[in-house]
Amino acid sequence: MVSRVVFGRGSFNQLGDIIAPKRLNTKAPFIFLVDDVFKGNSEITSRIPLAYDDQLLYISAENEPKTSQVDELVEQIILNHKDRPSGIIGIGGGTILDLAKAVAIMLTNEGEAKNYQGWDLVKTPAIYHVGVPTISGTGSEVSRTTVLTGPEKKLGINSDYTPFDQVILDPELTNGVPKDQWFYTGMDCFIHCIESLNGTYLNAFSQSYGEKAYELCKEIFMDASLTQAEAQDKLMMASWHGGMSIAYSQVGVAHAMSYGLSYLLGTKHGIGNCIVFDHLEEFYPEGVSMFKAMKKKHNIQLPQGLCAGLHDDEFDIMINVALSLEPLWENAIGKTWKQVITRSKLKSLYQKM
Ligand code: NAD
Ligand code: ZN
């Protein structure tokens, strides 16, 4: 779990005070990995507490993080600074937060990031790392994974060293999020709840967080009486609780199939989950009907025909990626999932998308 967290509108101003005691020496910089959407946005950038040899690197969130990108960043940081950094601070959405976690791990672990995709392969603690989310929903700020696309697979580095040492939850930072993106990333949280609460891995720990996050999502996306600030605050906490819920259970059908879309077509996590979830009535009837109501209420049009015109070998690639995520299927369907989830079943679902 994340060991330290502050919450509150304006709490981003505390970043300098929070990290100062963690500075190892004046030659050991803090490296700030910042979503390049904030380039030129002085409201945010002027509050980043740069000192000594600290470095700010703007990173595009256009594509999801790759293992090769992590390796390049680590190399760049090592080449630019004589001393190992005092810490990595990620400021952005799930893309930047995952990069920050992975870079912090790979600064102390030998070899390439792709070698650590899996469960508990990291042996050395990461350097101090701080997460500052600027969009809510993925739960990356609280999770013990960093999802990376490697040469062979899309899979997280899941380890006890992955979670942030410190998180700053400042809902004001989400002010500029475009509406469609707000919905897609928010629905990632909603889908985490549905998949966790309807999964066979559910237990009292994940249920208690999942139910809270689900309730918050219903309020945020269905109750018109919330002010914008209330909705931002609540979505930041829903994301946190949704992430905590799946930490002790698992996601399910939408995530498994969305990983396939993402691997083949580069479809991003939030929108990919929405595209898949829209067709999963048979697995999650209540969740999907609530999702459709939310989509309608916010006038969201999802892309159609994504898989039209794909060849059989392309369907095979998506199906292979989806089927490789065995714990997700076991959580969703149970131990006998292989009897229900056949290749032709998955193909017919993908063909609808
Ligand atoms: P994102 O980080 O990809 O950002 C989406 C878009 O929103 C980008 O264009 C970004 O620039 C923009 N944006 C972010 N904050 C903004 C702001 N305040 N104002 C204006 N624009 C802003 O989106 P995401 O949905 O948060 O993250 C998706 C990533 O998270 C995927 O790579 C996915 O694999 C990962 N993920 C990780 C976990 C985990 O537990 N580690 C869980 C779920 C998803
Ligand atoms: Zn997700």
Side-chain angles (χ1 to χ4, degrees):
M1 289 168 76
V2 171
S3 39
R4 283 167 175 259
V5 56
V6 294
F7 172 86
R9 303 184 78 78
S11 59
F12 183 51
N13 290 336
Q14 296 176 41
L15 180 58
D17 290 343
I18 287 170
I19 63 175
K22 300 290 180 185
R23 188 181 292 281
L24 301 171
N25 64 64
T26 55
K27 292 266 178 308
F30 284 109
I31 310 291
F32 295 85
L33 304 183
V34 181
D35 190 322
D36 72 359
V37 78
F38 298 118
K39 214 177 201 169
N41 177 340
S42 60
E43 173 86 19
I44 307 278
T45 55
S46 66
R47 296 195 281 154
I48 296 175
L50 292 167
Y52 305 106
D53 291 341
D54 292 353
Q55 195 182 4
L56 190 163
L57 297 172
Y58 284 112
I59 314 251
S60 164
E62 198 178 322
N63 297 307
E64 298 196 338
K66 297 192 176 58
T67 53
S68 56
Q69 188 185 9
V70 173
D71 296 333
E72 281 160 25
L73 277 166
V74 169
E75 193 180 333
Q76 187 184 346
I77 292 168
I78 291 172
L79 289 176
N80 280 342
H81 303 277
K82 267 209 222 118
D83 281 29
R84 182 184 279 174
S86 296
I88 303 291
I89 324 291
I91 303 175
T95 299
I96 307 297
L97 298 181
D98 276 4
L99 274 172
K101 293 199 268 189
V103 167
I105 289 169
M106 292 313 300
L107 277 164
T108 57
N109 286 274
E110 280 180 6
E112 295 171 72
K114 66 174 189 203
N115 301 336
Y116 296 89
Q117 286 178 284
W119 278 269
D120 302 304
L121 302 172
V122 180
K123 300 296 174 218
T124 315
I127 67 166
Y128 176 72
H129 48 303
V130 179
V132 187
T134 64
I135 178 169
S136 302
T138 65
S140 172
E141 67 280 13
V142 77
S143 77
R144 94 189 263 286
T145 188
T146 155
V147 184
L148 303 175
T149 303
E152 281 151 29
K153 54 195 167 201
K154 183 176 174 188
L155 184 62
I157 301 181
N158 299 262
S159 86
D160 284 344
Y161 302 121
T162 309
F164 286 111
D165 298 297
Q166 169 81 55
V167 168
I168 296 181
L169 296 177
D170 182 347
E172 258 174 25
L173 298 180
T174 65
N175 275 342
V177 173
K179 183 173 172 201
D180 280 10
Q181 190 63 53
W182 163 80
F183 186 83
Y184 302 146
T185 302
M187 283 302 113
D188 189 21
C189 173
F190 178 70
I191 296 168
H192 291 161
C193 301
I194 299 294
E195 294 187 326
S196 173
L197 291 171
N198 291 284
T200 61
Y201 288 5
L202 191 67
N203 52 62
F205 185 100
S206 44
Q207 186 175 7
S208 63
Y209 284 104
E211 283 174 354
K212 186 68 208 174
Y214 178 76
E215 242 174 62
L216 287 166
C217 284
K218 265 202 323 200
E219 230 186 309
I220 297 155
F221 292 100
M222 294 305 281
D223 177 357
S225 72
L226 290 183
T227 65
Q228 195 201 14
E230 283 168 340
Q232 288 176 337
D233 291 8
K234 284 174 190 275
L235 189 51
M236 202 159 252
M237 287 322 298
S239 173
W240 183 274
H241 283 78
M244 285 299 293
S245 181
I246 49 174
Y248 238 115
S249 59
Q250 212 6 306
V251 284
V253 181
H255 276 74
M257 294 196 71
S258 161
Y259 272 39
L261 282 183
S262 156
Y263 191 84
L264 181 75
L265 304 171
T267 314
K268 293 199 70 182
H269 187 79
I271 191 169
N273 282 349
C274 289
I275 291 168
V276 175
F277 196 66
D278 213 22
H279 297 285
L280 298 185
E281 296 90 342
E282 65 179 286
F283 300 101
Y284 305 111
E286 277 178 38
V288 173
S289 102
M290 172 83 67
F291 170 79
K292 287 185 189 290
M294 291 168 168
K295 204 173 59 153
K296 188 159 175 232
K297 183 167 168 60
H298 296 287
N299 199 18
I300 301 289
Q301 314 290 338
L302 291 175
Q304 306 288 326
L306 213 62
C307 297
L310 288 184
H311 299 295
D312 281 351
D313 50 341
E314 291 172 309
F315 279 109
D316 280 339
I317 292 172
M318 291 196 294
I319 294 167
N320 289 342
V321 171
L323 287 177
S324 72
L325 297 157
E326 298 204 357
L328 283 65
W329 293 107
E330 189 179 300
N331 174 47
I333 317 280
K335 289 210 184 300
T336 56
W337 65 270
K338 285 184 181 157
Q339 292 165 17
V340 186
I341 303 301
T342 58
R343 299 186 73 88
S344 59
K345 173 81 201 164
L346 290 188
K347 187 168 180 184
S348 72
L349 280 168
Y350 275 130
Q351 278 168 332
K352 292 189 196 167
M353 298 171 195

PDB file of all heavy atoms in Angstrom, residues 233-247:
ATOM      1  N   ASP A 233     -13.690  16.041  -6.350  1.00  0.00           N
ATOM      2  CA  ASP A 233     -13.211  15.458  -5.080  1.00  0.00           C
ATOM      3  C   ASP A 233     -13.618  13.992  -4.983  1.00  0.00           C
ATOM      4  O   ASP A 233     -12.821  13.117  -4.641  1.00  0.00           O
ATOM      5  CB  ASP A 233     -13.821  16.197  -3.874  1.00  0.00           C
ATOM      6  CG  ASP A 233     -13.290  17.619  -3.719  1.00  0.00           C
ATOM      7  OD1 ASP A 233     -12.578  18.079  -4.629  1.00  0.00           O
ATOM      8  OD2 ASP A 233     -13.602  18.268  -2.699  1.00  0.00           O
ATOM      9  N   LYS A 234     -14.898  13.754  -5.282  1.00  0.00           N
ATOM     10  CA  LYS A 234     -15.425  12.388  -5.125  1.00  0.00           C
ATOM     11  C   LYS A 234     -14.795  11.432  -6.132  1.00  0.00           C
ATOM     12  O   LYS A 234     -14.525  10.274  -5.806  1.00  0.00           O
ATOM     13  CB  LYS A 234     -16.953  12.397  -5.266  1.00  0.00           C
ATOM     14  CG  LYS A 234     -17.662  12.940  -4.019  1.00  0.00           C
ATOM     15  CD  LYS A 234     -19.157  13.059  -4.257  1.00  0.00           C
ATOM     16  CE  LYS A 234     -19.841  13.819  -3.136  1.00  0.00           C
ATOM     17  NZ  LYS A 234     -20.198  12.973  -1.992  1.00  0.00           N
ATOM     18  N   LEU A 235     -14.559  11.912  -7.358  1.00  0.00           N
ATOM     19  CA  LEU A 235     -13.976  11.003  -8.356  1.00  0.00           C
ATOM     20  C   LEU A 235     -12.533  10.643  -7.975  1.00  0.00           C
ATOM     21  O   LEU A 235     -12.081   9.521  -8.220  1.00  0.00           O
ATOM     22  CB  LEU A 235     -14.042  11.614  -9.763  1.00  0.00           C
ATOM     23  CG  LEU A 235     -13.658  10.683 -10.919  1.00  0.00           C
ATOM     24  CD1 LEU A 235     -14.412   9.353 -10.881  1.00  0.00           C
ATOM     25  CD2 LEU A 235     -13.868  11.348 -12.275  1.00  0.00           C
ATOM     26  N   MET A 236     -11.829  11.587  -7.370  1.00  0.00           N
ATOM     27  CA  MET A 236     -10.460  11.270  -6.953  1.00  0.00           C
ATOM     28  C   MET A 236     -10.476  10.179  -5.874  1.00  0.00           C
ATOM     29  O   MET A 236      -9.642   9.278  -5.874  1.00  0.00           O
ATOM     30  CB  MET A 236      -9.772  12.542  -6.451  1.00  0.00           C
ATOM     31  CG  MET A 236      -8.278  12.418  -6.522  1.00  0.00           C
ATOM     32  SD  MET A 236      -7.423  14.008  -6.526  1.00  0.00           S
ATOM     33  CE  MET A 236      -6.863  14.109  -8.213  1.00  0.00           C
ATOM     34  N   MET A 237     -11.460  10.254  -4.986  1.00  0.00           N
ATOM     35  CA  MET A 237     -11.550   9.214  -3.947  1.00  0.00           C
ATOM     36  C   MET A 237     -12.129   7.900  -4.501  1.00  0.00           C
ATOM     37  O   MET A 237     -11.750   6.819  -4.051  1.00  0.00           O
ATOM     38  CB  MET A 237     -12.401   9.700  -2.767  1.00  0.00           C
ATOM     39  CG  MET A 237     -11.708  10.734  -1.900  1.00  0.00           C
ATOM     40  SD  MET A 237      -9.934  10.450  -1.656  1.00  0.00           S
ATOM     41  CE  MET A 237      -9.915   8.878  -0.813  1.00  0.00           C
ATOM     42  N   ALA A 238     -13.016   7.998  -5.496  1.00  0.00           N
ATOM     43  CA  ALA A 238     -13.532   6.768  -6.125  1.00  0.00           C
ATOM     44  C   ALA A 238     -12.380   6.018  -6.789  1.00  0.00           C
ATOM     45  O   ALA A 238     -12.258   4.796  -6.655  1.00  0.00           O
ATOM     46  CB  ALA A 238     -14.607   7.106  -7.153  1.00  0.00           C
ATOM     47  N   SER A 239     -11.525   6.759  -7.467  1.00  0.00           N
ATOM     48  CA  SER A 239     -10.370   6.141  -8.139  1.00  0.00           C
ATOM     49  C   SER A 239      -9.496   5.404  -7.125  1.00  0.00           C
ATOM     50  O   SER A 239      -9.070   4.273  -7.335  1.00  0.00           O
ATOM     51  CB  SER A 239      -9.566   7.235  -8.843  1.00  0.00           C
ATOM     52  OG  SER A 239      -8.363   6.721  -9.365  1.00  0.00           O
ATOM     53  N   TRP A 240      -9.280   6.066  -5.996  1.00  0.00           N
ATOM     54  CA  TRP A 240      -8.448   5.474  -4.931  1.00  0.00           C
ATOM     55  C   TRP A 240      -9.075   4.177  -4.413  1.00  0.00           C
ATOM     56  O   TRP A 240      -8.434   3.134  -4.327  1.00  0.00           O
ATOM     57  CB  TRP A 240      -8.311   6.503  -3.800  1.00  0.00           C
ATOM     58  CG  TRP A 240      -7.442   6.096  -2.651  1.00  0.00           C
ATOM     59  CD1 TRP A 240      -7.809   5.374  -1.552  1.00  0.00           C
ATOM     60  CD2 TRP A 240      -6.052   6.391  -2.483  1.00  0.00           C
ATOM     61  NE1 TRP A 240      -6.737   5.210  -0.706  1.00  0.00           N
ATOM     62  CE2 TRP A 240      -5.647   5.836  -1.260  1.00  0.00           C
ATOM     63  CE3 TRP A 240      -5.111   7.088  -3.256  1.00  0.00           C
ATOM     64  CZ2 TRP A 240      -4.340   5.936  -0.775  1.00  0.00           C
ATOM     65  CZ3 TRP A 240      -3.814   7.192  -2.775  1.00  0.00           C
ATOM     66  CH2 TRP A 240      -3.440   6.630  -1.553  1.00  0.00           C
ATOM     67  N   HIS A 241     -10.379   4.250  -4.113  1.00  0.00           N
ATOM     68  CA  HIS A 241     -11.057   3.071  -3.570  1.00  0.00           C
ATOM     69  C   HIS A 241     -11.182   1.955  -4.613  1.00  0.00           C
ATOM     70  O   HIS A 241     -11.057   0.777  -4.278  1.00  0.00           O
ATOM     71  CB  HIS A 241     -12.445   3.439  -3.035  1.00  0.00           C
ATOM     72  CG  HIS A 241     -12.391   4.115  -1.706  1.00  0.00           C
ATOM     73  ND1 HIS A 241     -12.049   5.441  -1.553  1.00  0.00           N
ATOM     74  CD2 HIS A 241     -12.609   3.646  -0.461  1.00  0.00           C
ATOM     75  CE1 HIS A 241     -12.057   5.747  -0.271  1.00  0.00           C
ATOM     76  NE2 HIS A 241     -12.400   4.681   0.418  1.00  0.00           N
ATOM     77  N   GLY A 242     -11.432   2.338  -5.850  1.00  0.00           N
ATOM     78  CA  GLY A 242     -11.514   1.325  -6.924  1.00  0.00           C
ATOM     79  C   GLY A 242     -10.177   0.609  -7.063  1.00  0.00           C
ATOM     80  O   GLY A 242     -10.125  -0.613  -7.215  1.00  0.00           O
ATOM     81  N   GLY A 243      -9.100   1.378  -6.999  1.00  0.00           N
ATOM     82  CA  GLY A 243      -7.757   0.785  -7.090  1.00  0.00           C
ATOM     83  C   GLY A 243      -7.491  -0.148  -5.923  1.00  0.00           C
ATOM     84  O   GLY A 243      -6.935  -1.236  -6.075  1.00  0.00           O
ATOM     85  N   MET A 244      -7.912   0.267  -4.725  1.00  0.00           N
ATOM     86  CA  MET A 244      -7.727  -0.582  -3.536  1.00  0.00           C
ATOM     87  C   MET A 244      -8.547  -1.866  -3.679  1.00  0.00           C
ATOM     88  O   MET A 244      -8.138  -2.930  -3.234  1.00  0.00           O
ATOM     89  CB  MET A 244      -8.184   0.155  -2.273  1.00  0.00           C
ATOM     90  CG  MET A 244      -7.238   1.228  -1.799  1.00  0.00           C
ATOM     91  SD  MET A 244      -5.607   0.618  -1.368  1.00  0.00           S
ATOM     92  CE  MET A 244      -6.007  -0.373   0.058  1.00  0.00           C
ATOM     93  N   SER A 245      -9.722  -1.745  -4.294  1.00  0.00           N
ATOM     94  CA  SER A 245     -10.579  -2.920  -4.430  1.00  0.00           C
ATOM     95  C   SER A 245      -9.919  -3.964  -5.319  1.00  0.00           C
ATOM     96  O   SER A 245      -9.851  -5.140  -4.964  1.00  0.00           O
ATOM     97  CB  SER A 245     -11.939  -2.512  -4.996  1.00  0.00           C
ATOM     98  OG  SER A 245     -12.757  -3.643  -5.098  1.00  0.00           O
ATOM     99  N   ILE A 246      -9.403  -3.531  -6.486  1.00  0.00           N
ATOM    100  CA  ILE A 246      -8.805  -4.549  -7.379  1.00  0.00           C
ATOM    101  C   ILE A 246      -7.447  -5.022  -6.871  1.00  0.00           C
ATOM    102  O   ILE A 246      -6.983  -6.088  -7.246  1.00  0.00           O
ATOM    103  CB  ILE A 246      -8.712  -4.101  -8.855  1.00  0.00           C
ATOM    104  CG1 ILE A 246      -8.092  -2.715  -8.983  1.00  0.00           C
ATOM    105  CG2 ILE A 246     -10.048  -4.173  -9.533  1.00  0.00           C
ATOM    106  CD1 ILE A 246      -7.854  -2.308 -10.432  1.00  0.00           C
ATOM    107  N   ALA A 247      -6.832  -4.251  -5.973  1.00  0.00           N
ATOM    108  CA  ALA A 247      -5.543  -4.694  -5.426  1.00  0.00           C
ATOM    109  C   ALA A 247      -5.695  -6.030  -4.705  1.00  0.00           C
ATOM    110  O   ALA A 247      -4.787  -6.838  -4.702  1.00  0.00           O
ATOM    111  CB  ALA A 247      -4.993  -3.654  -4.460  1.00  0.00           C
TER     112      ALA A 247
END
